[in-house]
Amino acid sequence: MNTDFQIIGGVTGAGAVIIIVAAVLVAYFMGNINPAAIQAKARGIDIKKEGSGNAGTTNATRVMGARAGIITLIVDILKGVAAVFLGKVLGGDALGMLCGTAVFLGHVFPVVYKFKGGKGVATAFGALTAIHPAMGLLELGLVVLGVATTRRMSGGSVVGAVTFPFVAWYFQPDFLILGIIFALVVFFKHWGNIVRLWNGEEPVLSFKKKEE
């Protein structure tokens, strides 16, 4: 994969810098779009105070039901895909990778939600698949394997984080450094889950809708 910036229209110099910065900022704010929080607010619910308190697919499903969870999952994946494609169109593969990282960080640390976002797994999957389909799909398989083995979504996420640097190194070496950032952030966001897994206190995956 070519990691040189190939700015649309052959723009160079200050113009190229402006395009790169603008694309990364747009990608970051795309990451700030949180479908779980938006759906919860429409129902008069603060997703941060319900269930696990995480504004992601699993908690959205537990608190609001399967439909809300599916919408959350799809939107989170698509914004990762869209951000990478935006970068690729404006500046080639290198900018696509930067935008993929920006949308992931925007999801996990959204300024509009006081830097308290989701754990980033679905958005990371969308971005990684758009960067390199085989890389994203292998990571998905490893996450599913982790979930099936531990019967916990957090278990799958941790497996994905631990294995991802090796997957990135194999499929897309140019993404390795950014991939390590992805892995460290996911690992950090799941630290509480990791402690509970270690202590045997992490709840088994359940999709029972909260009674209204």
Side-chain angles (χ1 to χ4, degrees):
M1 182 177 286
N2 191 335
T3 55
D4 294 328
F5 291 113
Q6 301 169 345
I7 306 302
I8 188 171
V11 178
T12 59
V17 172
I18 291 172
I19 290 173
I20 292 170
V21 172
V24 169
L25 285 175
V26 169
Y28 171 80
F29 281 104
M30 287 172 65
N32 280 226
I33 299 170
N34 191 307
I38 292 171
Q39 291 180 91
K41 185 176 181 179
R43 301 180 185 206
I45 301 170
D46 184 351
I47 195 69
K48 293 291 185 179
K49 296 180 180 179
E50 299 287 342
S52 67
N54 181 56
T57 298
T58 303
N59 199 41
T61 303
R62 286 171 173 163
V63 174
M64 297 179 285
R67 183 173 180 274
I70 292 171
I71 291 173
T72 298
L73 178 63
I74 292 173
V75 173
D76 281 346
I77 291 174
L78 288 181
K79 68 188 184 186
V81 173
V84 172
F85 281 146
L86 171 69
K88 285 186 174 184
V89 168
L90 294 179
D93 293 329
L95 187 52
M97 288 188 285
L98 282 181
C99 286
T101 305
V103 71
F104 170 70
L105 294 177
H107 175 85
V108 177
F109 305 113
V111 65
V112 299
Y113 292 109
K114 300 180 180 179
F115 301 102
K116 297 178 181 179
K119 296 182 178 179
V121 176
T123 300
F125 168 68
L128 299 179
T129 303
I131 291 169
H132 194 301
M135 181 171 66
L137 292 174
L138 177 56
E139 268 301 293
L140 175 62
L142 290 169
V143 169
V144 171
L145 179 62
V147 172
T149 301
T150 65
R151 297 175 61 201
R152 292 159 176 86
M153 187 63 209
S154 56
S157 300
V158 172
V159 169
V162 170
T163 58
F164 182 63
F166 301 98
V167 174
W169 174 78
Y170 181 80
F171 284 103
Q172 184 51 55
D174 294 323
F175 190 69
L176 179 58
I177 301 301
L178 294 177
I180 291 173
I181 293 174
F182 271 61
L184 289 175
V185 170
V186 171
F187 199 80
F188 167 75
K189 291 290 288 185
H190 285 81
W191 183 249
N193 303 93
I194 293 169
V195 172
R196 290 191 293 273
L197 282 167
W198 181 263
N199 294 329
E201 299 170 351
E202 181 76 346
V204 175
L205 187 65
S206 173
F207 294 106
K208 292 182 180 180
K209 182 179 178 181
K210 181 181 178 180
E211 293 296 330
E212 299 181 351

